[in-house]
Amino acid sequence: MAHDERVGYLEELEHELDTRGLVARVVRTRSGPAFLRVVNPEAASLAEDVTCAPAPDTRDHFYYWWSWGERMHKVDDPRGAATKLAHVLQPLRQQARGLEAQGFEVRGPATAGGRPSGRS
């Protein structure tokens, strides 16, 4: 039952990501838990595998989890989780443009964070 519940949550997130132009598919394995494979079709190297499980300290609420084992978002808000994934899977050029639009100066391809440029 819990396995089906987890797949249902992953499918909800899959739908939200599809509406954002990301390719997302639930992968069911024979030996491990199901997970959601998410790929940015504009930059296929930008991908993430998302799992669904309860937090270790509680068994009453499920969360989406990043592939590195960090809790990402509650499953009752797949739209919020999709927003986080879409941001992380954005090519660096798009992230830089977004920062520049917010008034940050971005220098060179290695500078992802930028700094305020003083523009208003």
Side-chain angles (χ1 to χ4, degrees):
M1 175 80 173
H3 176 72
D4 292 338
E5 187 177 16
R6 293 176 192 197
V7 169
Y9 291 135
L10 292 171
E11 288 172 342
E12 290 176 19
L13 181 55
E14 175 184 12
H15 173 73
E16 286 295 330
L17 292 164
D18 285 345
T19 64
R20 288 169 168 73
L22 296 171
V23 176
R25 297 294 171 256
V26 174
V27 177
R28 294 173 178 90
T29 66
R30 291 180 189 229
S31 60
F35 63 93
L36 185 66
R37 178 73 173 161
V38 186
V39 178
N40 182 333
E42 294 179 14
S45 64
L46 296 174
E48 178 62 28
D49 293 337
V50 176
T51 57
C52 178
D57 54 342
T58 178
R59 296 286 177 210
D60 61 348
H61 197 80
F62 284 87
Y63 292 86
Y64 296 115
W65 294 81
W66 296 105
S67 60
W68 58 87
E70 184 177 328
R71 190 173 10 184
M72 178 199 313
H73 208 82
K74 286 185 175 182
V75 296
D76 60 358
D77 181 20
R79 184 174 289 166
T83 299
K84 288 180 181 180
L85 276 158
H87 177 73
V88 167
L89 298 179
Q90 237 180 40
L92 186 57
R93 286 185 302 272
Q94 288 179 357
Q95 287 182 9
R97 274 184 256 149
L99 289 169
E100 287 172 344
Q102 295 174 35
F104 286 86
E105 180 180 345
V106 179
R107 296 181 183 181
T111 307
R115 60 186 176 98
S117 67
R119 288 185 270 157
S120 37

